[in-house]
Amino acid sequence: TTPLVVAIDGPSGSGKSSTARGVAQKLGLAFLDTGAMYRAATWLVLHSDVEAGDTDAVAALVGSADIAIALDPARPTISINGTDVTEAIREPVVSAAVSAVATNLAVRADLVARQQSIIGSAAQGIVAEGRDITTVVAPEAPVRVLLVADPQARVARRQAELGERVTSSEVTDQVIRRDRDDSTVAQFTEAADGVVVVDSTHLTLSEVIDRIADLAPTSR
Ligand code: C5P
């Protein structure tokens, strides 16, 4: 039998990462956070001489980069050109710049191809999450979910993640601005054909995990 692929898309703060990790742990699958790859690419650009707006130079820089991502849902780490950037990619400077790199079509083609190869070689099956997994990266996945939540709920979750480092109006700005910037990245606010919408606004994390895990075919 072919390994199970679970594809999860959604906006920032929808709880995608925690949900996808939980589903992977529950079903014994690997876990791929594709946003971490765009963030790592952005970190590299910010730590180079290349201007984020120089699309050819950015594509060349990212294209020649070695990206190593650990697929263990209990301990997802990511390195780029040998530097572990697991923590650094969560910094606000990276969040603020990531859409500029993610809208670079050559970068997208490169990262999508890498993601498809990672998914294709995950022998035990995999949960992949991002913005275009259900539509572009793994449109044939047997389980495809669009995770949504009201903006207020997403702001509250981001705030809880970031803690006292930022004010709530800063978090609101970040979430709303990234929604707007990302709306040109991929169409992820409406579910494509065959994609199941799960609204997490009034659900706990474990309820969302159970709901998605229940969508997996039982005979695998
Ligand atoms: O999921 P996360 O918020 O970490 O993603 C960071 C950014 O990476 C998003 O804001 C988006 O610009 C980009 N991204 C993307 N396609 C994906 C995953 C993330 O363009 N599949």
Side-chain angles (χ1 to χ4, degrees):
T1 56
T2 47
L4 177 63
V5 177
V6 177
I8 303 177
D9 285 329
S12 67
S14 59
K16 261 183 313 160
S17 283
S18 322
T19 301
R21 287 173 68 171
V23 172
Q25 282 179 309
K26 186 166 182 184
L27 298 177
L29 307 175
F31 162 69
L32 175 63
D33 173 355
T34 63
M37 296 175 73
Y38 288 93
R39 287 171 177 274
T42 304
W43 180 91
L44 186 65
V45 172
L46 294 175
H47 287 79
S48 75
D49 299 332
V50 170
E51 292 282 339
D54 187 343
T55 50
D56 290 346
V58 167
L61 178 69
V62 176
S64 64
D66 173 43
I67 301 176
I69 187 157
L71 306 177
D72 176 1
R75 219 180 155 278
T77 59
I78 185 164
S79 300
I80 190 158
N81 290 342
T83 303
D84 186 326
V85 293
T86 307
E87 309 278 328
I89 60 170
R90 303 295 157 192
E91 294 293 329
V93 306
V94 173
S95 301
V98 69
S99 299
V101 173
T103 46
N104 183 317
L105 293 182
V107 169
R108 293 201 77 75
D110 172 22
L111 295 188
V112 166
R114 296 189 200 218
Q115 290 155 14
Q116 288 174 330
S117 126
I118 291 169
I119 292 169
S121 44
Q124 83 274 42
I126 193 163
V127 181
E129 58 98 340
R131 300 292 193 288
D132 59 350
I133 313 305
T134 63
T135 51
V136 176
V137 175
E140 310 290 336
V143 179
R144 291 184 301 152
V145 171
L146 179 67
L147 196 58
V148 299
D150 289 350
Q152 309 91 286
R154 296 193 285 118
V155 168
R157 284 177 195 155
R158 257 302 180 255
Q159 179 81 68
E161 253 171 51
L162 295 170
E164 299 304 307
R165 277 188 291 167
V166 285
T167 66
S168 68
S169 68
E170 280 172 330
V171 180
T172 306
D173 285 353
Q174 278 178 26
V175 169
I176 303 301
R177 184 167 43 79
R178 203 131 62 86
D179 278 358
R180 197 187 55 227
D181 294 348
D182 279 345
S183 63
T184 57
V185 161
Q187 209 305 105
F188 59 83
T189 46
E190 266 166 57
D193 254 11
V195 174
V196 177
V197 177
V198 175
D199 187 336
S200 71
T201 308
H202 302 291
L203 299 177
T204 65
L205 178 60
S206 64
E207 286 170 336
V208 180
I209 291 168
D210 290 347
R211 197 161 291 197
I212 296 173
D214 285 347
L215 297 171
T218 41
S219 57
R220 288 194 279 127

